[in-house]
Amino acid sequence: MRILISVYDKTGLVNFLSSIKDHIDEIYGTEGTVKYLKENNIAANNSSNLTGFDDLLGGRVKTLHPAIFSGILSKRDSESNMQLEKYHYKDFDMVICNLYPFVEASKTDDLEKMIENIDIGGLSLIRAAAKNYKNVAVLSHPDDYGMVKEVIQKNGKIDMKTKEILGLRAFSRSADYDIQIYNRLYRKLNDKQPEELFIHGYDRTDLRYGENPDQEAYMFKVNEKYGIPNSIQLNGKELSYNNILDANAALETVQDFQDITSVIVKHRTPSGVSSAGTLKEAFINSYNADPESAYGFVVALNRKLDMDTAKEMQKKFIEVLIAPEYDTDALNLLKKKKNMRILKCSMDHDPEKAIYSVSGGVLVQSRLDYSYDNLELKSTAEAGKEKLADLEFAWKVVAHAKSNAMVLAKNRTTVGIGAGQTSRIESLKIAIERGNSNVKGSVLASDAFIPFDDSVIECYKNGIDAIIQPGGSIRDDDVIKRCNEYKIPLYFTGKRVFLH
């Protein structure tokens, strides 16, 4: 077996070559790779022996030559063999190549570094070998070494199915490389979002079905860090499509809280949220905020799960549990519930744009941010420190409830949530009905402006103490006037947090 090697990332290379040394006839490599191999007692020939030139243009040109690419692209038929023989070219059975770290270079924000880390020769080698996968095994990442080593040691050669897998991986990696170059270089040169949208989804997970049993569904990763696709499942059945949607809603909500917080979600909207001094207290409060809805629910915590909280959770029917860390004893206790899906997940916000599918296209937008520049008092009455804390808490929650969302909160715990209605006053009435006797003394957050003073009247009738909303209605004066009449503190954020 004749191998051509040109790698930037040399991780695992020596061990791999050593493990298959009995199957190697000859190795050719670029100058830096050959030097590295010889330092590790692996014999290799410089590719310049084939091309007749050393690296040119400071290394920009190394392998771009017919002597290299003819040996990779040869079909191994009589005509190809005759042409290779005519020019004294050698054919290759394996190409090991990985690419310059363009993504890492782009993080420096140095344009010259970005340009010099756009791989030309390496990408060409990978594409050529992948095109001729029937005759050439292409290893385009150190992750490929383990599989190929196992196949060779078992069969003495690389079978066609393995070559197909390697070829497809190579095309996937080269496509992603081009996507990264376009996206990052465009932003650097134009300081704005690219005009064309390219997305690389990988590590496909086949889901049992979609929102309904007759729908096919899959989950892909689009990065290596954020969100439910990158969580580690520690227990339970496989996640369903709907589990993932609910888990994402719970995670994105709890990420907005710095205090110890528990978020319970049903059908992609919070049903109970609480911040408290302990995780156990926060969880109990979030559950009791709406126990009727909290049956077969998703819960997200922003602190390590402890035993006290786990004991409380053991009594409940939880579909999915999300936390950044788990005490060993607490985790072992909950693992006794075989069906409970337990996820370890990063609490970092995803900085990338949100993408939604519509018939015939996609919508792209920056992710919702609850923060506002200035909280403006619009009424004559002011809220005290505790009520202001509740208003800020309710505002964070309403930013994650579906429109027309109205959230009631007291003591940093939701009292009632009305969402997903066509009428804002109807959402408020639902929130009040959910809160029942706990409504008195609570505060109200509205995700968009309150268009009529009927909501203020409803607040007054039910003992709701303060209101926070974006403002911006043509009837703002009517709302302010009614709040002043009832001595209800009213604050404008100047920002809408509407989820359609």
Side-chain angles (χ1 to χ4, degrees):
M1 181 165 56
R2 185 177 293 116
I3 304 176
L4 176 69
I5 307 176
S6 177
V7 293
Y8 180 89
D9 182 356
K10 298 173 176 61
T11 304
L13 179 62
V14 170
N15 288 338
F16 170 65
L17 294 174
S18 299
S19 71
I20 63 168
K21 62 183 180 180
D22 293 341
H23 302 274
I24 299 174
D25 298 311
E26 220 175 357
I27 295 176
Y28 282 86
T30 49
E31 184 176 349
T33 299
V34 169
K35 181 175 182 292
Y36 173 76
L37 292 177
K38 287 181 176 180
E39 288 171 353
N40 286 275
N41 302 313
I42 295 177
N45 305 296
N46 200 310
S47 59
S48 62
N49 295 342
L50 302 175
T51 62
F53 65 83
D54 294 323
D55 294 354
L56 299 176
L57 305 179
R60 281 191 168 194
V61 180
K62 299 176 185 176
T63 57
L64 297 170
H65 191 279
I68 299 292
F69 283 87
S70 296
I72 295 172
L73 289 165
S74 168
K75 294 181 179 180
R76 308 304 198 265
D77 56 15
S78 58
E79 183 179 351
S80 298
N81 292 338
M82 285 175 58
Q83 291 187 36
L84 289 181
E85 187 175 341
K86 176 182 177 180
Y87 293 102
H88 306 291
Y89 293 161
K90 297 175 181 285
D91 53 23
F92 294 101
D93 306 295
M94 178 184 291
V95 170
I96 303 175
C97 183
N98 55 62
L99 305 170
Y100 292 160
F102 174 81
V103 171
E104 291 304 313
S106 71
K107 293 176 183 177
T108 67
D109 204 36
D110 184 324
L111 181 59
E112 280 307 306
K113 282 187 178 179
M114 292 173 70
I115 296 295
E116 290 308 315
N117 277 279
I118 296 175
D119 206 319
I120 304 300
L123 199 59
S124 300
L125 292 175
I126 289 172
R127 288 186 191 278
K131 176 176 180 174
N132 199 23
Y133 71 87
K134 291 181 179 180
N135 299 299
V136 182
V138 54
L139 284 66
S140 53
H141 192 280
D143 287 350
D144 295 333
Y145 298 159
M147 177 181 70
V148 175
K149 168 187 169 182
E150 185 178 328
V151 168
I152 292 176
Q153 289 181 342
K154 180 179 179 181
N155 303 321
K157 63 179 183 179
I158 304 175
D159 61 276
M160 187 55 65
K161 187 60 185 176
T162 301
K163 288 180 180 179
E164 291 173 358
I165 292 169
L166 292 169
L168 290 172
R169 284 183 181 179
F171 282 126
S172 171
R173 288 165 181 156
S174 60
D176 179 52
Y177 195 73
D178 283 335
I179 289 170
Q180 295 291 350
I181 290 171
Y182 172 77
N183 286 343
R184 292 169 184 266
L185 199 58
Y186 190 101
R187 292 189 189 108
K188 177 63 180 175
L189 296 176
N190 296 285
D191 196 28
K192 63 180 181 179
Q193 193 72 10
E195 292 183 5
E196 296 182 65
L197 176 67
F198 295 102
I199 306 167
H200 178 217
Y202 58 96
D203 280 2
R204 186 188 82 185
T205 300
D206 294 351
L207 306 176
R208 286 178 296 164
Y209 52 82
E211 286 181 285
N212 298 289
D214 61 329
Q215 293 176 270
E216 292 183 5
Y218 316 93
M219 178 172 69
F220 292 87
K221 293 181 181 181
V222 294
N223 60 57
E224 297 179 350
K225 179 178 180 181
Y226 304 103
I228 302 304
N230 288 293
S231 64
I232 299 171
Q233 186 164 350
L234 304 175
N235 188 67
K237 299 185 295 185
E238 63 187 32
L239 292 164
S240 72
Y241 185 94
N242 292 333
N243 287 154
I244 293 165
L245 290 175
D246 286 345
N248 180 71
L251 176 64
E252 290 190 342
T253 304
V254 84
Q255 286 174 338
D256 279 347
F257 291 86
Q258 287 72 49
D259 295 334
I260 298 170
T261 301
S262 170
V263 173
I264 291 176
V265 160
K266 283 296 294 283
H267 304 302
R268 298 179 67 185
T269 200
S271 66
V273 182
S274 180
S275 296
T278 68
L279 201 59
K280 174 184 175 180
E281 183 184 359
F283 172 69
I284 292 173
N285 290 345
S286 64
Y287 180 85
N288 290 337
D290 188 353
E292 182 181 342
S293 295
Y295 179 79
F297 58 91
V298 172
V299 57
L301 313 171
N302 62 357
R303 295 293 193 280
K304 177 190 282 190
L305 180 72
D306 54 43
M307 179 58 87
D308 286 345
T309 310
K311 287 178 179 177
E312 289 297 325
M313 290 183 163
Q314 195 182 30
K315 308 170 188 175
K316 313 298 184 189
F317 175 23
I318 298 174
E319 291 273 9
V320 184
L321 165 61
I322 302 160
E325 298 286 346
Y326 293 84
D327 282 341
T328 301
D329 291 344
L331 179 60
N332 288 337
L333 176 67
L334 291 182
K335 279 185 173 181
K336 294 178 181 178
K337 298 175 80 79
K338 300 299 183 184
N339 291 333
M340 183 191 291
R341 303 161 179 89
I342 301 176
L343 307 180
K344 179 181 177 182
C345 194
S346 168
M347 288 293 126
D348 293 334
H349 287 87
D350 187 345
E352 297 299 324
K353 297 288 190 291
I355 301 171
Y356 299 92
S357 171
V358 295
S359 294
V362 294
L363 298 174
V364 181
Q365 66 173 351
S366 56
R367 295 186 184 276
L368 189 146
D369 180 3
Y370 73 87
S371 61
Y372 44 80
D373 294 329
N374 181 49
L375 187 62
E376 185 178 1
L377 177 66
K378 304 299 290 187
S379 58
T380 54
E382 295 184 41
K385 184 178 179 180
E386 289 185 3
K387 294 298 180 186
L388 280 171
D390 280 345
L391 286 169
E392 182 180 356
F393 172 90
W395 180 252
K396 290 180 182 179
V397 177
V398 83
H400 294 279
K402 299 296 182 184
S403 62
N404 290 302
M406 301 289 258
V407 171
L408 300 175
K410 182 166 58 177
N411 299 326
R412 297 191 304 162
T413 298
T414 55
V415 169
I417 298 174
Q421 303 303 309
T422 55
S423 161
R424 188 161 298 279
I425 187 66
E426 188 63 29
S427 289
L428 177 56
K429 289 177 179 179
I430 290 171
I432 291 170
E433 182 181 357
R434 284 291 183 196
N436 204 345
S437 59
N438 290 322
V439 169
K440 187 174 182 180
S442 65
V443 302
L444 169 68
S446 174
D447 64 351
F449 63 67
I450 295 176
F452 303 103
D453 66 356
D454 54 357
S455 292
V456 182
I457 295 170
E458 202 67 30
C459 287
Y460 177 72
K461 285 162 51 179
N462 289 276
I464 296 167
D465 287 346
I467 299 171
I468 186 171
Q469 61 140 321
S473 167
I474 59 173
R475 298 183 183 84
D476 276 349
D477 287 344
D478 294 342
V479 173
I480 294 169
K481 181 180 178 181
R482 189 68 69 180
C483 282
N484 284 332
E485 178 184 343
Y486 295 148
K487 296 182 173 54
I488 296 176
L490 174 66
Y491 291 86
F492 282 7
T493 62
K495 178 175 186 173
R496 194 175 78 166
V497 287
F498 185 86
L499 287 183
H500 199 61

